[in-house]
Amino acid sequence: MTEDQRPLPETAPALLCEPYLLDPDQGGVHVAWHTEEPGTGQFVLVGAGVTAMSPRQARDAATGGPSSGAANGPSSGPDWRRFAADTRALSRTREDADSRVPGQSYPTVTRRPVYRHLARVTGLAPGRTPYRVVALDGRGRATVSAAYSLAPAAPAGAGVRLLLTSDHQLKAMAAANLELVAETVGTRLDGVLMAGDMVNVADRASDWFDAGTGPAFFAAMTGRARTPIAGRTYRGAPLAQHTPIFPTIGNHEVMGRWSGTASLESQFHDPQPRSWDVTTYEELFPHPRSASGGPRWWSRTIGNVHLVSLFVTSIWRPHVPVGRGKFQEDVADLDHPERWGHGQFLFEPVHRDSAQYRWLAGELTSAEARAARFRVVMFHHPSHGLGDNSAPAYTDPVQTVERDPATGKITAVRYAYPLADDHILRDLEPLFSATGVHLVHNGHAHLWNRFRNPAGVNWLETSNVGNSYGAYDVSSGAARLLPEGPESVRQGDPGGLTPVVPTIAPLTGPTGAPLPYVASNDITVFSILDSAAGVVRSYRFDTREPDSAALLFDEFPLA
């Protein structure tokens, strides 16, 4: 063993997560990773030569040490290049008594330092190139990742493969889902289209990295999870190291009003119309971004697919007969408006007079969008759907304040959601139909179902990833818990479309009739957009049969 090949003498702290890729373009891609201290240097090594590097050689290549191949700290070698990362502290990451971090306890709300390292890798040739990240801690010890691969964006017009997913939320089957993705289609895709709800509480650091309550988002996305189900332990898969994430904001990426003492869960549930926050999401996913929406709404062309991501989500409120919920305020809070929840209000406007809509209308008619073979729009809230979260209507709550006629004292505050004012169905769908959108990809209801409107727009929710909360269709016999009245669609699609039965291997109901949905806590689902073939394929895996393979159960053409 030569000096260069010997292991490093001291063990450095592990990375909080393996590196993940963001926002490739024709010449490069962003690489991000996280640690619990800023360290003294953070680097990406890129090139064919990094694969055979020992940890010592990788450290020296990052620092200009004796085995780097040249003197005076070179930024490149004969078959590798070095890129320095920008390091910034995440500003809101915390833990509390509900956190379950191995080896740690947090009896009160506690700041947890997390540092993001972000490097822009440029000058990439077409195809895949090996890379490693090297993190130097405060004592100069090096943590060297395994060798992974990155690539520039697929050329315009090229066929691509994109994973369609959402609603991981540390749920039991999420790691199994991603492991079966890797077994079925591999880990080197052209993008992960993540339609929101990656975690439960966005400011809880362990939800992203190392939760003991379920597969943390980055743990499952990088193959670090450990979730036992039915005699098999699932690790997730090393997807994010090789495949860029294209995310959108779900309701679980939004935090409510800040508190130094209230639990993180209660802060998550306590937004008000002008008091909410997506800082942690924006710090974790600073790219992609647009000039008008930053990371909240943006567009990119990935091969022959033009992707638009929107900020379309609302606070989730429970439907409860008493207390604060979708349809009323808590009686105990009536004299304290600062405690009101304001119903299931929308975070970011998307109605036809909003800035986001105006940007979207211009984007879908742009030359870049029109040149793409396929146009895909991604957002979190379900539009057409059979899930519980497809109702009530996606609109600003209409508030009614009831008062005692004698005293003027408030006796009730109620909220209604007129179906005719649903912003997705009233404003977005006609725009999608007029501009030839091929696919709308959303999440939120934790099930699989799809629809096709008369203009040919496909609507797919493929969010039965980690768990399900059921389907509310005539075939299921279940009905949504909504108030009686014409505005309450208790079964079926509130938008009036008929769900499409899977084309290859649908599940069946008690009578043997094929079901137009998957809503299961034992069967997990993922979908792949294959733009070269012009189709979307959906697969299901029964975790009760751990030795089985994922089953292709639906395929439909985009055009």
Side-chain angles (χ1 to χ4, degrees), residues 165-167 194-196 247-250 296 307-313 350 356 360 376-384 394 423-425 428-429 432 437 439-444 459-461:
T165 187
S166 68
D167 298 271
M194 179 71 202
T248 199
I249 299 174
R296 301 183 185 191
L307 171 66
V308 177
S309 176
L310 301 176
F311 186 5
V312 179
T313 192
V350 74
Q356 186 173 194
L360 172 66
V376 176
V377 178
M378 174 175 67
F379 52 84
H380 183 64
H381 196 89
S383 31
H384 294 289
Y394 189 79
H423 296 179
I424 298 172
L425 301 177
L428 295 186
E429 183 171 13
F432 298 159
V437 168
L439 176 67
V440 176
H441 164 42
N442 59 255
H444 194 42
W459 303 74
L460 175 66
E461 177 165 358

mmCIF file of all heavy atoms in Angstrom, residues 165-167 194-196 247-250 296 307-313 350 356 360 376-384 394 423-425 428-429 432 437 439-444 459-461:
data_model
loop_
_atom_site.group_PDB
_atom_site.id
_atom_site.type_symbol
_atom_site.label_atom_id
_atom_site.label_comp_id
_atom_site.label_asym_id
_atom_site.label_seq_id
_atom_site.Cartn_x
_atom_site.Cartn_y
_atom_site.Cartn_z
ATOM 1 N N THR A 165 -43.363 11.850 -8.597
ATOM 2 C CA THR A 165 -43.562 11.418 -7.223
ATOM 3 C C THR A 165 -43.984 12.596 -6.370
ATOM 4 O O THR A 165 -43.917 13.755 -6.792
ATOM 5 C CB THR A 165 -42.264 10.763 -6.687
ATOM 6 O OG1 THR A 165 -42.504 10.193 -5.393
ATOM 7 C CG2 THR A 165 -41.139 11.795 -6.574
ATOM 8 N N SER A 166 -44.421 12.310 -5.133
ATOM 9 C CA SER A 166 -44.788 13.368 -4.179
ATOM 10 C C SER A 166 -45.143 12.721 -2.846
ATOM 11 O O SER A 166 -45.237 11.489 -2.736
ATOM 12 C CB SER A 166 -45.995 14.186 -4.686
ATOM 13 O OG SER A 166 -47.176 13.404 -4.686
ATOM 14 N N ASP A 167 -45.333 13.557 -1.829
ATOM 15 C CA ASP A 167 -45.934 13.152 -0.548
ATOM 16 C C ASP A 167 -45.189 12.008 0.137
ATOM 17 O O ASP A 167 -45.791 11.039 0.586
ATOM 18 C CB ASP A 167 -47.407 12.781 -0.756
ATOM 19 C CG ASP A 167 -48.229 13.952 -1.248
ATOM 20 O OD1 ASP A 167 -48.745 14.699 -0.404
ATOM 21 O OD2 ASP A 167 -48.318 14.138 -2.478
ATOM 22 N N MET A 194 -40.812 16.275 -8.215
ATOM 23 C CA MET A 194 -41.322 16.094 -6.855
ATOM 24 C C MET A 194 -42.425 17.109 -6.597
ATOM 25 O O MET A 194 -42.167 18.294 -6.383
ATOM 26 C CB MET A 194 -40.168 16.281 -5.864
ATOM 27 C CG MET A 194 -40.573 16.153 -4.416
ATOM 28 S SD MET A 194 -40.952 14.454 -3.993
ATOM 29 C CE MET A 194 -41.991 14.699 -2.561
ATOM 30 N N ALA A 195 -43.689 16.643 -6.602
ATOM 31 C CA ALA A 195 -44.841 17.548 -6.516
ATOM 32 C C ALA A 195 -45.228 17.883 -5.079
ATOM 33 O O ALA A 195 -46.401 17.974 -4.746
ATOM 34 C CB ALA A 195 -46.032 16.948 -7.254
ATOM 35 N N GLY A 196 -44.230 18.110 -4.223
ATOM 36 C CA GLY A 196 -44.485 18.665 -2.894
ATOM 37 C C GLY A 196 -44.695 17.645 -1.798
ATOM 38 O O GLY A 196 -44.828 16.447 -2.022
ATOM 39 N N PRO A 247 -38.275 20.323 -7.741
ATOM 40 C CA PRO A 247 -39.304 20.278 -6.705
ATOM 41 C C PRO A 247 -40.375 21.354 -6.878
ATOM 42 O O PRO A 247 -40.212 22.324 -7.624
ATOM 43 C CB PRO A 247 -38.499 20.542 -5.439
ATOM 44 C CG PRO A 247 -37.445 21.525 -5.892
ATOM 45 C CD PRO A 247 -37.141 21.171 -7.350
ATOM 46 N N THR A 248 -41.470 21.165 -6.164
ATOM 47 C CA THR A 248 -42.482 22.206 -6.034
ATOM 48 C C THR A 248 -42.936 22.252 -4.582
ATOM 49 O O THR A 248 -42.723 21.298 -3.826
ATOM 50 C CB THR A 248 -43.663 21.960 -6.995
ATOM 51 O OG1 THR A 248 -44.397 23.158 -7.180
ATOM 52 C CG2 THR A 248 -44.599 20.882 -6.465
ATOM 53 N N ILE A 249 -43.556 23.340 -4.188
ATOM 54 C CA ILE A 249 -43.920 23.552 -2.789
ATOM 55 C C ILE A 249 -45.269 22.906 -2.493
ATOM 56 O O ILE A 249 -46.260 23.173 -3.176
ATOM 57 C CB ILE A 249 -43.979 25.052 -2.453
ATOM 58 C CG1 ILE A 249 -42.616 25.713 -2.676
ATOM 59 C CG2 ILE A 249 -44.443 25.276 -1.021
ATOM 60 C CD1 ILE A 249 -42.640 27.223 -2.501
ATOM 61 N N GLY A 250 -45.307 22.052 -1.482
ATOM 62 C CA GLY A 250 -46.552 21.520 -0.950
ATOM 63 C C GLY A 250 -46.901 22.203 0.357
ATOM 64 O O GLY A 250 -46.105 22.983 0.903
ATOM 65 N N ARG A 296 -40.189 29.685 -6.116
ATOM 66 C CA ARG A 296 -41.593 29.342 -5.869
ATOM 67 C C ARG A 296 -42.332 28.947 -7.135
ATOM 68 O O ARG A 296 -43.234 28.127 -7.089
ATOM 69 C CB ARG A 296 -42.305 30.521 -5.184
ATOM 70 C CG ARG A 296 -41.664 30.894 -3.864
ATOM 71 C CD ARG A 296 -42.410 31.999 -3.156
ATOM 72 N NE ARG A 296 -41.697 32.401 -1.943
ATOM 73 C CZ ARG A 296 -42.195 33.200 -1.013
ATOM 74 N NH1 ARG A 296 -43.409 33.710 -1.151
ATOM 75 N NH2 ARG A 296 -41.481 33.507 0.061
ATOM 76 N N LEU A 307 -41.197 21.851 -18.665
ATOM 77 C CA LEU A 307 -41.786 21.678 -17.340
ATOM 78 C C LEU A 307 -42.036 23.030 -16.700
ATOM 79 O O LEU A 307 -41.142 23.881 -16.666
ATOM 80 C CB LEU A 307 -40.845 20.858 -16.448
ATOM 81 C CG LEU A 307 -41.207 20.756 -14.970
ATOM 82 C CD1 LEU A 307 -42.508 19.984 -14.770
ATOM 83 C CD2 LEU A 307 -40.071 20.103 -14.186
ATOM 84 N N VAL A 308 -43.234 23.223 -16.170
ATOM 85 C CA VAL A 308 -43.591 24.423 -15.419
ATOM 86 C C VAL A 308 -43.973 23.988 -14.011
ATOM 87 O O VAL A 308 -44.811 23.089 -13.825
ATOM 88 C CB VAL A 308 -44.759 25.174 -16.068
ATOM 89 C CG1 VAL A 308 -45.163 26.374 -15.219
ATOM 90 C CG2 VAL A 308 -44.402 25.618 -17.476
ATOM 91 N N SER A 309 -43.380 24.602 -13.001
ATOM 92 C CA SER A 309 -43.687 24.313 -11.602
ATOM 93 C C SER A 309 -44.360 25.532 -10.983
ATOM 94 O O SER A 309 -43.858 26.656 -11.102
ATOM 95 C CB SER A 309 -42.403 23.973 -10.834
ATOM 96 O OG SER A 309 -42.677 23.780 -9.460
ATOM 97 N N LEU A 310 -45.496 25.311 -10.308
ATOM 98 C CA LEU A 310 -46.286 26.397 -9.727
ATOM 99 C C LEU A 310 -46.388 26.237 -8.213
ATOM 100 O O LEU A 310 -46.255 25.132 -7.674
ATOM 101 C CB LEU A 310 -47.697 26.408 -10.319
ATOM 102 C CG LEU A 310 -47.811 26.586 -11.835
ATOM 103 C CD1 LEU A 310 -49.270 26.463 -12.263
ATOM 104 C CD2 LEU A 310 -47.224 27.920 -12.265
ATOM 105 N N PHE A 311 -46.657 27.353 -7.543
ATOM 106 C CA PHE A 311 -46.909 27.367 -6.100
ATOM 107 C C PHE A 311 -48.426 27.379 -5.925
ATOM 108 O O PHE A 311 -49.050 28.428 -5.860
ATOM 109 C CB PHE A 311 -46.258 28.608 -5.487
ATOM 110 C CG PHE A 311 -46.316 28.687 -3.980
ATOM 111 C CD1 PHE A 311 -46.818 27.672 -3.197
ATOM 112 C CD2 PHE A 311 -45.842 29.836 -3.340
ATOM 113 C CE1 PHE A 311 -46.858 27.765 -1.810
ATOM 114 C CE2 PHE A 311 -45.870 29.958 -1.962
ATOM 115 C CZ PHE A 311 -46.377 28.917 -1.200
ATOM 116 N N VAL A 312 -49.008 26.185 -5.883
ATOM 117 C CA VAL A 312 -50.458 26.032 -5.784
ATOM 118 C C VAL A 312 -50.742 25.089 -4.621
ATOM 119 O O VAL A 312 -50.748 23.864 -4.768
ATOM 120 C CB VAL A 312 -51.064 25.490 -7.088
ATOM 121 C CG1 VAL A 312 -52.581 25.319 -6.949
ATOM 122 C CG2 VAL A 312 -50.756 26.425 -8.259
ATOM 123 N N THR A 313 -50.926 25.668 -3.449
ATOM 124 C CA THR A 313 -51.251 24.875 -2.268
ATOM 125 C C THR A 313 -51.894 25.772 -1.229
ATOM 126 O O THR A 313 -51.760 26.998 -1.274
ATOM 127 C CB THR A 313 -50.005 24.174 -1.701
ATOM 128 O OG1 THR A 313 -50.382 23.204 -0.725
ATOM 129 C CG2 THR A 313 -49.048 25.165 -1.061
ATOM 130 N N VAL A 350 -53.235 32.257 -7.516
ATOM 131 C CA VAL A 350 -53.005 31.762 -8.862
ATOM 132 C C VAL A 350 -54.220 32.031 -9.745
ATOM 133 O O VAL A 350 -54.310 31.524 -10.860
ATOM 134 C CB VAL A 350 -52.640 30.254 -8.824
ATOM 135 C CG1 VAL A 350 -53.873 29.398 -8.536
ATOM 136 C CG2 VAL A 350 -51.914 29.812 -10.082
ATOM 137 N N GLN A 356 -48.725 35.300 -10.520
ATOM 138 C CA GLN A 356 -48.310 33.949 -10.906
ATOM 139 C C GLN A 356 -49.050 33.502 -12.176
ATOM 140 O O GLN A 356 -48.444 32.912 -13.075
ATOM 141 C CB GLN A 356 -48.572 32.960 -9.761
ATOM 142 C CG GLN A 356 -48.033 31.580 -10.033
ATOM 143 C CD GLN A 356 -48.133 30.619 -8.860
ATOM 144 O OE1 GLN A 356 -47.505 29.563 -8.860
ATOM 145 N NE2 GLN A 356 -48.919 30.949 -7.863
ATOM 146 N N LEU A 360 -47.518 32.567 -15.808
ATOM 147 C CA LEU A 360 -47.816 31.260 -16.388
ATOM 148 C C LEU A 360 -48.365 31.397 -17.801
ATOM 149 O O LEU A 360 -47.951 30.655 -18.715
ATOM 150 C CB LEU A 360 -48.823 30.527 -15.502
ATOM 151 C CG LEU A 360 -49.389 29.220 -16.059
ATOM 152 C CD1 LEU A 360 -48.302 28.161 -16.176
ATOM 153 C CD2 LEU A 360 -50.534 28.718 -15.170
ATOM 154 N N VAL A 376 -45.561 19.969 -19.573
ATOM 155 C CA VAL A 376 -45.977 19.386 -18.298
ATOM 156 C C VAL A 376 -46.057 20.493 -17.267
ATOM 157 O O VAL A 376 -45.130 21.315 -17.161
ATOM 158 C CB VAL A 376 -44.983 18.299 -17.830
ATOM 159 C CG1 VAL A 376 -45.366 17.772 -16.449
ATOM 160 C CG2 VAL A 376 -44.925 17.158 -18.848
ATOM 161 N N VAL A 377 -47.144 20.530 -16.499
ATOM 162 C CA VAL A 377 -47.299 21.483 -15.410
ATOM 163 C C VAL A 377 -47.383 20.694 -14.111
ATOM 164 O O VAL A 377 -48.141 19.721 -14.006
ATOM 165 C CB VAL A 377 -48.556 22.361 -15.592
ATOM 166 C CG1 VAL A 377 -48.702 23.316 -14.407
ATOM 167 C CG2 VAL A 377 -48.480 23.136 -16.899
ATOM 168 N N MET A 378 -46.606 21.118 -13.128
ATOM 169 C CA MET A 378 -46.534 20.437 -11.831
ATOM 170 C C MET A 378 -46.922 21.403 -10.725
ATOM 171 O O MET A 378 -46.418 22.522 -10.668
ATOM 172 C CB MET A 378 -45.111 19.906 -11.612
ATOM 173 C CG MET A 378 -44.852 19.305 -10.234
ATOM 174 S SD MET A 378 -43.201 18.554 -10.084
ATOM 175 C CE MET A 378 -42.116 19.994 -10.199
ATOM 176 N N PHE A 379 -47.814 20.978 -9.856
ATOM 177 C CA PHE A 379 -48.112 21.714 -8.622
ATOM 178 C C PHE A 379 -48.677 20.730 -7.620
ATOM 179 O O PHE A 379 -48.985 19.582 -7.956
ATOM 180 C CB PHE A 379 -49.050 22.895 -8.872
ATOM 181 C CG PHE A 379 -50.316 22.583 -9.623
ATOM 182 C CD1 PHE A 379 -51.442 22.097 -8.973
ATOM 183 C CD2 PHE A 379 -50.392 22.796 -10.994
ATOM 184 C CE1 PHE A 379 -52.615 21.819 -9.653
ATOM 185 C CE2 PHE A 379 -51.558 22.527 -11.698
ATOM 186 C CZ PHE A 379 -52.680 22.041 -11.032
ATOM 187 N N HIS A 380 -48.844 21.180 -6.374
ATOM 188 C CA HIS A 380 -49.158 20.231 -5.310
ATOM 189 C C HIS A 380 -50.639 19.907 -5.188
ATOM 190 O O HIS A 380 -51.023 18.743 -5.091
ATOM 191 C CB HIS A 380 -48.633 20.761 -3.967
ATOM 192 C CG HIS A 380 -48.874 19.793 -2.834
ATOM 193 N ND1 HIS A 380 -48.280 18.553 -2.796
ATOM 194 C CD2 HIS A 380 -49.651 19.879 -1.714
ATOM 195 C CE1 HIS A 380 -48.669 17.909 -1.701
ATOM 196 N NE2 HIS A 380 -49.504 18.695 -1.032
ATOM 197 N N HIS A 381 -51.479 20.915 -5.155
ATOM 198 C CA HIS A 381 -52.878 20.675 -4.799
ATOM 199 C C HIS A 381 -53.585 19.872 -5.886
ATOM 200 O O HIS A 381 -53.434 20.151 -7.070
ATOM 201 C CB HIS A 381 -53.609 21.997 -4.576
ATOM 202 C CG HIS A 381 -54.911 21.820 -3.862
ATOM 203 N ND1 HIS A 381 -55.020 21.846 -2.497
ATOM 204 C CD2 HIS A 381 -56.169 21.586 -4.330
ATOM 205 C CE1 HIS A 381 -56.267 21.659 -2.141
ATOM 206 N NE2 HIS A 381 -56.998 21.487 -3.243
ATOM 207 N N PRO A 382 -54.392 18.866 -5.498
ATOM 208 C CA PRO A 382 -55.106 18.108 -6.518
ATOM 209 C C PRO A 382 -56.166 18.968 -7.191
ATOM 210 O O PRO A 382 -56.795 19.821 -6.559
ATOM 211 C CB PRO A 382 -55.751 16.961 -5.733
ATOM 212 C CG PRO A 382 -55.883 17.478 -4.352
ATOM 213 C CD PRO A 382 -54.712 18.406 -4.135
ATOM 214 N N SER A 383 -56.322 18.756 -8.440
ATOM 215 C CA SER A 383 -57.331 19.480 -9.203
ATOM 216 C C SER A 383 -58.470 18.508 -9.458
ATOM 217 O O SER A 383 -59.423 18.433 -8.698
ATOM 218 C CB SER A 383 -56.690 20.022 -10.480
ATOM 219 O OG SER A 383 -55.650 19.167 -10.919
ATOM 220 N N HIS A 384 -58.370 17.727 -10.521
ATOM 221 C CA HIS A 384 -59.280 16.595 -10.673
ATOM 222 C C HIS A 384 -58.762 15.461 -9.791
ATOM 223 O O HIS A 384 -57.582 15.121 -9.836
ATOM 224 C CB HIS A 384 -59.332 16.160 -12.131
ATOM 225 C CG HIS A 384 -59.948 17.193 -13.024
ATOM 226 N ND1 HIS A 384 -61.291 17.479 -12.993
ATOM 227 C CD2 HIS A 384 -59.413 18.012 -13.959
ATOM 228 C CE1 HIS A 384 -61.562 18.425 -13.876
ATOM 229 N NE2 HIS A 384 -60.432 18.781 -14.478
ATOM 230 N N TYR A 394 -60.821 24.701 -4.392
ATOM 231 C CA TYR A 394 -59.574 25.433 -4.206
ATOM 232 C C TYR A 394 -59.845 26.911 -4.496
ATOM 233 O O TYR A 394 -59.693 27.396 -5.622
ATOM 234 C CB TYR A 394 -58.491 24.879 -5.129
ATOM 235 C CG TYR A 394 -57.120 25.452 -4.844
ATOM 236 C CD1 TYR A 394 -56.370 24.977 -3.777
ATOM 237 C CD2 TYR A 394 -56.588 26.459 -5.633
ATOM 238 C CE1 TYR A 394 -55.118 25.497 -3.498
ATOM 239 C CE2 TYR A 394 -55.333 26.987 -5.371
ATOM 240 C CZ TYR A 394 -54.608 26.505 -4.302
ATOM 241 O OH TYR A 394 -53.374 27.027 -4.027
ATOM 242 N N HIS A 423 -60.099 28.002 -8.281
ATOM 243 C CA HIS A 423 -59.116 28.675 -9.130
ATOM 244 C C HIS A 423 -58.454 27.727 -10.124
ATOM 245 O O HIS A 423 -58.075 28.149 -11.221
ATOM 246 C CB HIS A 423 -58.044 29.332 -8.256
ATOM 247 C CG HIS A 423 -58.567 30.421 -7.386
ATOM 248 N ND1 HIS A 423 -57.764 31.134 -6.515
ATOM 249 C CD2 HIS A 423 -59.818 30.938 -7.228
ATOM 250 C CE1 HIS A 423 -58.492 32.034 -5.873
ATOM 251 N NE2 HIS A 423 -59.736 31.916 -6.291
ATOM 252 N N ILE A 424 -58.312 26.461 -9.756
ATOM 253 C CA ILE A 424 -57.699 25.503 -10.678
ATOM 254 C C ILE A 424 -58.664 25.185 -11.815
ATOM 255 O O ILE A 424 -58.303 25.254 -12.996
ATOM 256 C CB ILE A 424 -57.286 24.225 -9.932
ATOM 257 C CG1 ILE A 424 -56.231 24.544 -8.862
ATOM 258 C CG2 ILE A 424 -56.746 23.188 -10.914
ATOM 259 C CD1 ILE A 424 -55.901 23.371 -7.952
ATOM 260 N N LEU A 425 -59.896 24.846 -11.466
ATOM 261 C CA LEU A 425 -60.869 24.449 -12.480
ATOM 262 C C LEU A 425 -61.361 25.640 -13.295
ATOM 263 O O LEU A 425 -61.573 25.531 -14.510
ATOM 264 C CB LEU A 425 -62.045 23.742 -11.808
ATOM 265 C CG LEU A 425 -61.701 22.484 -11.007
ATOM 266 C CD1 LEU A 425 -62.937 21.933 -10.326
ATOM 267 C CD2 LEU A 425 -61.062 21.431 -11.892
ATOM 268 N N LEU A 428 -57.100 27.864 -14.237
ATOM 269 C CA LEU A 428 -55.941 27.151 -14.767
ATOM 270 C C LEU A 428 -56.318 26.156 -15.851
ATOM 271 O O LEU A 428 -55.659 26.073 -16.892
ATOM 272 C CB LEU A 428 -55.187 26.447 -13.639
ATOM 273 C CG LEU A 428 -54.527 27.337 -12.590
ATOM 274 C CD1 LEU A 428 -53.706 26.481 -11.628
ATOM 275 C CD2 LEU A 428 -53.655 28.398 -13.231
ATOM 276 N N GLU A 429 -57.354 25.364 -15.623
ATOM 277 C CA GLU A 429 -57.681 24.323 -16.608
ATOM 278 C C GLU A 429 -57.980 24.890 -17.993
ATOM 279 O O GLU A 429 -57.471 24.354 -18.999
ATOM 280 C CB GLU A 429 -58.826 23.438 -16.124
ATOM 281 C CG GLU A 429 -59.116 22.317 -17.103
ATOM 282 C CD GLU A 429 -60.086 21.272 -16.582
ATOM 283 O OE1 GLU A 429 -60.734 21.514 -15.549
ATOM 284 O OE2 GLU A 429 -60.194 20.210 -17.220
ATOM 285 N N PHE A 432 -54.666 25.632 -19.555
ATOM 286 C CA PHE A 432 -53.959 24.413 -19.953
ATOM 287 C C PHE A 432 -54.549 23.842 -21.241
ATOM 288 O O PHE A 432 -53.818 23.403 -22.136
ATOM 289 C CB PHE A 432 -54.043 23.365 -18.846
ATOM 290 C CG PHE A 432 -53.398 23.761 -17.548
ATOM 291 C CD1 PHE A 432 -53.753 23.125 -16.363
ATOM 292 C CD2 PHE A 432 -52.447 24.752 -17.489
ATOM 293 C CE1 PHE A 432 -53.171 23.466 -15.164
ATOM 294 C CE2 PHE A 432 -51.854 25.118 -16.288
ATOM 295 C CZ PHE A 432 -52.219 24.465 -15.118
ATOM 296 N N VAL A 437 -51.318 21.859 -22.984
ATOM 297 C CA VAL A 437 -50.589 21.143 -21.936
ATOM 298 C C VAL A 437 -50.920 19.659 -22.051
ATOM 299 O O VAL A 437 -52.083 19.272 -22.200
ATOM 300 C CB VAL A 437 -50.955 21.693 -20.544
ATOM 301 C CG1 VAL A 437 -50.445 20.786 -19.434
ATOM 302 C CG2 VAL A 437 -50.417 23.107 -20.386
ATOM 303 N N LEU A 439 -49.738 17.184 -19.738
ATOM 304 C CA LEU A 439 -49.841 16.483 -18.459
ATOM 305 C C LEU A 439 -49.827 17.484 -17.313
ATOM 306 O O LEU A 439 -48.987 18.388 -17.290
ATOM 307 C CB LEU A 439 -48.665 15.502 -18.284
ATOM 308 C CG LEU A 439 -48.582 14.769 -16.938
ATOM 309 C CD1 LEU A 439 -49.750 13.799 -16.777
ATOM 310 C CD2 LEU A 439 -47.257 14.021 -16.806
ATOM 311 N N VAL A 440 -50.738 17.304 -16.358
ATOM 312 C CA VAL A 440 -50.709 17.999 -15.078
ATOM 313 C C VAL A 440 -50.362 16.957 -14.019
ATOM 314 O O VAL A 440 -51.046 15.936 -13.893
ATOM 315 C CB VAL A 440 -52.060 18.660 -14.757
ATOM 316 C CG1 VAL A 440 -52.029 19.300 -13.370
ATOM 317 C CG2 VAL A 440 -52.415 19.700 -15.817
ATOM 318 N N HIS A 441 -49.294 17.211 -13.280
ATOM 319 C CA HIS A 441 -48.781 16.287 -12.256
ATOM 320 C C HIS A 441 -48.944 16.956 -10.905
ATOM 321 O O HIS A 441 -48.364 18.008 -10.654
ATOM 322 C CB HIS A 441 -47.310 15.977 -12.561
ATOM 323 C CG HIS A 441 -46.528 15.354 -11.450
ATOM 324 N ND1 HIS A 441 -47.016 14.362 -10.631
ATOM 325 C CD2 HIS A 441 -45.249 15.588 -11.030
ATOM 326 C CE1 HIS A 441 -46.088 14.015 -9.759
ATOM 327 N NE2 HIS A 441 -45.003 14.735 -9.974
ATOM 328 N N ASN A 442 -49.784 16.368 -10.030
ATOM 329 C CA ASN A 442 -49.981 16.953 -8.700
ATOM 330 C C ASN A 442 -49.984 15.861 -7.629
ATOM 331 O O ASN A 442 -49.843 14.676 -7.928
ATOM 332 C CB ASN A 442 -51.263 17.791 -8.644
ATOM 333 C CG ASN A 442 -52.523 17.025 -8.964
ATOM 334 O OD1 ASN A 442 -53.081 17.173 -10.053
ATOM 335 N ND2 ASN A 442 -52.987 16.203 -8.046
ATOM 336 N N GLY A 443 -50.121 16.273 -6.381
ATOM 337 C CA GLY A 443 -50.083 15.345 -5.262
ATOM 338 C C GLY A 443 -51.153 15.668 -4.247
ATOM 339 O O GLY A 443 -52.270 16.052 -4.585
ATOM 340 N N HIS A 444 -50.823 15.482 -2.946
ATOM 341 C CA HIS A 444 -51.604 15.941 -1.793
ATOM 342 C C HIS A 444 -52.614 14.933 -1.260
ATOM 343 O O HIS A 444 -52.875 14.913 -0.061
ATOM 344 C CB HIS A 444 -52.311 17.258 -2.117
ATOM 345 C CG HIS A 444 -52.858 17.987 -0.924
ATOM 346 N ND1 HIS A 444 -52.165 18.113 0.265
ATOM 347 C CD2 HIS A 444 -54.035 18.642 -0.734
ATOM 348 C CE1 HIS A 444 -52.883 18.829 1.117
ATOM 349 N NE2 HIS A 444 -54.024 19.147 0.539
ATOM 350 N N TRP A 459 -54.439 14.436 -16.418
ATOM 351 C CA TRP A 459 -54.256 14.836 -15.021
ATOM 352 C C TRP A 459 -53.878 13.587 -14.238
ATOM 353 O O TRP A 459 -54.644 12.612 -14.199
ATOM 354 C CB TRP A 459 -55.540 15.429 -14.448
ATOM 355 C CG TRP A 459 -56.069 16.593 -15.217
ATOM 356 C CD1 TRP A 459 -56.699 16.565 -16.435
ATOM 357 C CD2 TRP A 459 -56.013 17.967 -14.830
ATOM 358 N NE1 TRP A 459 -57.041 17.836 -16.827
ATOM 359 C CE2 TRP A 459 -56.635 18.720 -15.860
ATOM 360 C CE3 TRP A 459 -55.517 18.647 -13.712
ATOM 361 C CZ2 TRP A 459 -56.763 20.094 -15.816
ATOM 362 C CZ3 TRP A 459 -55.645 20.020 -13.659
ATOM 363 C CH2 TRP A 459 -56.256 20.728 -14.686
ATOM 364 N N LEU A 460 -52.716 13.602 -13.606
ATOM 365 C CA LEU A 460 -52.226 12.425 -12.888
ATOM 366 C C LEU A 460 -51.819 12.803 -11.473
ATOM 367 O O LEU A 460 -51.038 13.732 -11.275
ATOM 368 C CB LEU A 460 -51.015 11.824 -13.618
ATOM 369 C CG LEU A 460 -50.306 10.649 -12.917
ATOM 370 C CD1 LEU A 460 -51.222 9.435 -12.839
ATOM 371 C CD2 LEU A 460 -49.010 10.303 -13.641
ATOM 372 N N GLU A 461 -52.353 12.075 -10.514
ATOM 373 C CA GLU A 461 -51.815 12.118 -9.150
ATOM 374 C C GLU A 461 -51.272 10.735 -8.854
ATOM 375 O O GLU A 461 -52.002 9.744 -8.900
ATOM 376 C CB GLU A 461 -52.874 12.502 -8.118
ATOM 377 C CG GLU A 461 -52.298 12.454 -6.707
ATOM 378 C CD GLU A 461 -53.133 13.149 -5.649
ATOM 379 O OE1 GLU A 461 -54.179 13.721 -5.991
ATOM 380 O OE2 GLU A 461 -52.717 13.124 -4.472
#
